[in-house]
């Protein structure tokens, strides 16, 4: 471990040991990358994403509260009709007499339950294919424990929650790199939708993705900075895009060639400072 890296670790430790965390100082340090030693990145992300408060004294109680809140979300969002939970001290009405798994009625609780499971199954597939070579993405996690298999049945379903949230994709109005043109008709939706919705997690190796996320989470306007990162990615391959045809360019945009994420982040920072 180099002396510079040891110095950076010490800088983070100095900020994090204070009774009240200096958020701006932490953001400044994190933007240039967070060391992974000693759980520093995990702790910094929690603070930067407002999962933990700035006051250290409140961390233990807040963590316990967040765990309980997560369990509550599971009980609210994932519903299995007709399953008694007497062993957990929870009673609820058994609907199997008037409703059943083969009920074709769209309002059937069983019908909704099966549709919710389809969503969960697709999410599971997406997570496993994200980085299939890394064991973390192939094993079960401690949470969501047993509640995800046998939850309560007193709240609205996952599908209803999703339906209440509208996901909108906006095209880039100003194209600095001249990529989208009438001749090739390469629209941002063809590549930017995946870049933005997955926070670039499929464009780079996982260590590089984590490095990008350090900067994203450290920025106060992280989603605006994400757009600048995407613009920087286009600018850095601008000449190749202008020389290629539709097929070559689509392959280039969907299999991004530059692996030096620090170069991309530096260009994005330049764009941000030039505003």
């Amino acid at each position: 471990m180099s002396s510079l890296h040891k110095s950076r670790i010490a800088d983070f430790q100095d900020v994090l040991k204070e009774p009240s965390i200096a958020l701006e100082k932490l953001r400044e340090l994190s933007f240039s990358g967070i060391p992974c030693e000693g759980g520093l990145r995990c702790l910094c992300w929690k603070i930067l994403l407002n999962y933990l408060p700035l006051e250290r004294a409140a961390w233990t109680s807040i963590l316990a509260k967040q765990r309980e809140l997560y369990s509550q979300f599971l009980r609210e969002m994932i519903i299995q009709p007709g399953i008694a939970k007497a062993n957990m001290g929870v009673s609820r009405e058994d609907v199997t007499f008037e409703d059943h798994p083969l009920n074709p009625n769209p309002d059937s609780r069983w019908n909704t339950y099966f549709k919710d499971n389809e969503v969960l199954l697709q999410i599971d597939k997406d997570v496993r294919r994200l980085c299939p070579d890394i064991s973390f993405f192939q094993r079960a996690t401690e949470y969501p424990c047993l509640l995800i298999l046998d939850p309560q049945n007193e709240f609205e379903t996952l599908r209803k929650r999703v339906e209440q949230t509208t996901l909108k994709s906006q095209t880039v109005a100003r194209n600095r790199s001249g990529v989208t043109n009438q001749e090739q008709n390469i629209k941002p939706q063809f590549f930017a939708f995946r870049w933005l919705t997955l926070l670039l997690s499929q464009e780079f190796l996982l260590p590089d993705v984590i490095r990008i996320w350090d900067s994203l989470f450290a920025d106060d306007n992280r989603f605006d900075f994400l757009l600048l990162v995407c613009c920087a990615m286009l600018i850095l391959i601008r000449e190749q895009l202008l020389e290629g045809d539709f097929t070559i360019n689509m392959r280039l945009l969907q299999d991004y060639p530059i692996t030096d994420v620090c170069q991309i982040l530096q260009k994005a920072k330049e764009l941000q400072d030039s505003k």
Side-chain angles (χ1 to χ4, degrees), residues 8-147:
R8 281 189 54 77
I9 293 176
D11 290 339
F12 275 93
Q13 291 174 337
D14 289 342
V15 172
L16 294 172
K17 73 181 181 181
E18 295 294 327
S20 181
I21 307 299
L23 183 58
E24 290 304 319
K25 179 62 176 177
L26 182 62
R27 282 176 173 165
E28 180 182 350
L29 287 172
S30 301
F31 191 86
S32 299
I34 305 173
C36 60
E37 288 82 0
L40 285 177
R41 174 173 280 121
C42 174
L43 181 56
C44 289
W45 280 13
K46 288 178 180 178
I47 298 172
L48 294 172
L49 295 174
N50 299 319
Y51 188 82
L52 287 178
L54 298 180
E55 303 299 327
R56 282 179 53 92
W59 285 0
T60 301
S61 61
I62 290 295
L63 280 174
K65 181 180 178 180
Q66 295 284 29
R67 289 299 188 191
E68 173 57 30
L69 183 62
Y70 180 67
S71 297
Q72 180 181 341
F73 283 158
L74 293 179
R75 294 193 294 267
E76 292 181 6
M77 294 182 178
I78 307 171
I79 296 175
Q80 183 174 353
I83 304 297
K85 297 181 68 71
N87 58 338
M88 295 184 66
V90 177
S91 62
R92 61 183 178 180
E93 178 185 2
D94 194 328
V95 300
T96 52
F97 293 106
E98 58 187 40
D99 194 2
H100 53 81
L102 300 181
N103 189 344
N105 191 331
D107 296 329
S108 164
R109 295 185 186 182
W110 280 104
N111 188 33
T112 302
Y113 168 70
F114 291 137
K115 289 181 179 179
D116 287 350
N117 276 350
E118 292 177 5
V119 175
L120 292 172
L121 180 60
Q122 186 59 49
I123 292 174
D124 181 70
K125 290 180 179 178
D126 290 340
V127 170
R128 292 177 183 274
R129 71 165 63 101
L130 182 61
C131 294
D133 54 324
I134 299 178
S135 61
F136 171 82
F137 292 91
Q138 302 298 320
R139 68 172 186 263
T141 57
E142 179 181 357
Y143 295 91
C145 59
L146 296 178
L147 286 172

Side-chain angles (χ1 to χ4, degrees), residues 182-201:
Q182 295 298 323
E183 293 182 1
Q184 295 190 19
N185 196 29
I186 299 179
K187 299 179 180 180
Q189 301 97 305
F190 295 167
F191 58 92
F193 182 80
R194 186 179 74 178
W195 290 7
L196 296 173
T197 56
L198 299 179
L199 296 182
L200 302 172
S201 58

Side-chain angles (χ1 to χ4, degrees), residues 204-220:
F204 304 98
L205 296 175
L206 186 59
D208 293 332
V209 172
I210 292 174
R211 173 62 189 89
I212 293 174
W213 286 4
D214 285 345
S215 296
L216 285 180
F217 297 160
D219 195 283
D220 190 27

